[in-house]
Amino acid sequence: MSATRPPDPNGRASWVDWLERRINLSEIFSFLTHFGFVITPVDTSRPVREVLREVAETPVPKYASGPRVLGLLTAILFALEAVTGVLLAYYYKPTPEAAFESTRTIVRDLPAGWFLHQMHAWGAWLLAAVVVIRLLRLFWDGLYRAPREVLWWTAVAMVWLVLQLDFTGRLLTWDAHSYWATVRGMEVVFALPIAGPILAFLLGGRVVNDDVLIRFYALHVMVLPTFYAACVYFTFATLRRVGLSPAPEGRPEATTTFRDHLYTMLMLTVGLFGVLVTLATVLPFRFLSAADPYVTPGGVRPPWYMLAPYATLQWLPVPAWL
């Protein structure tokens, strides 16, 4: 079959045909659909019109229901976090002198700035919950066995990356609670026998200062999101190769079409957006005063995922390298 669409007998050519002769649109479509849109293989040697027609007409297993939906939720929540994060980055200034004031300007003075800030904060919590639940589900169902090893390791990496995104994002507001929660978390990290000194060197020292803030900002907005997007790509690329997880015993495999799948993804996005709006409005996170490196607020602890090692550290002798 020809790799290009035959010319129109009337001499007319659409913009798609014009691009088709210059760019492999099917290749671009195949790449984009690896982020959760299509799980069926795409023949990139064929014109994009034929590919779209075939994808729209081919029945596929339904994977936006039951525990399978967790994979889609990790992609949709990350997309919502990326959008709100980009909008917040327009006004944020990653320096100790301006971080708190710029965040306060976003929350207090910008139209809907408090809403974006709360949406981003609650989105991080939901994303952390979803990736952890998904990892537990994969372990419980034994989906770490061959040929799904890549799926399992990407799920593990996504949990680690989300926790790092949460940890690096906490410091950016530079208020009293976020600053000292980061300090307590860094104490846990620096107590590690080998990784602690290496991380202290990479971050610019053991004191949470302007060097640490700018490195956390770069990690939060560029490095970690890039690796997370790569994990999403490998997740759906693996599903294309090995297929979805088997349906529960006694339940027939449901099928759907690409059009219905897009509609389901739209409904999932709207539903998640509604949940985030509700949480941001009803249960907003408190925004405290500016951080003071010389005054420690009472009751400050590291993030929840560091509480166990932090409590253990309190009972152990202080290492010589701290």
Side-chain angles (χ1 to χ4, degrees), residues 129-151:
V130 170
V131 295
V132 170
I133 294 173
R134 178 172 175 267
L135 183 67
L136 295 175
R137 181 255 169 173
L138 293 177
F139 179 78
W140 180 264
D141 291 340
L143 298 179
Y144 50 84
R145 302 186 181 95
R148 302 179 182 274
E149 299 92 339
V150 175
L151 189 67

Side-chain angles (χ1 to χ4, degrees), residues 30 33-34 37-43 54-55 58-61 239-240:
S30 177
T33 54
H34 275 81
F37 295 105
V38 181
I39 62 171
T40 55
V42 175
D43 186 358
E54 181 180 3
V55 168
T58 303
V60 294
L239 292 178
R240 280 189 174 182

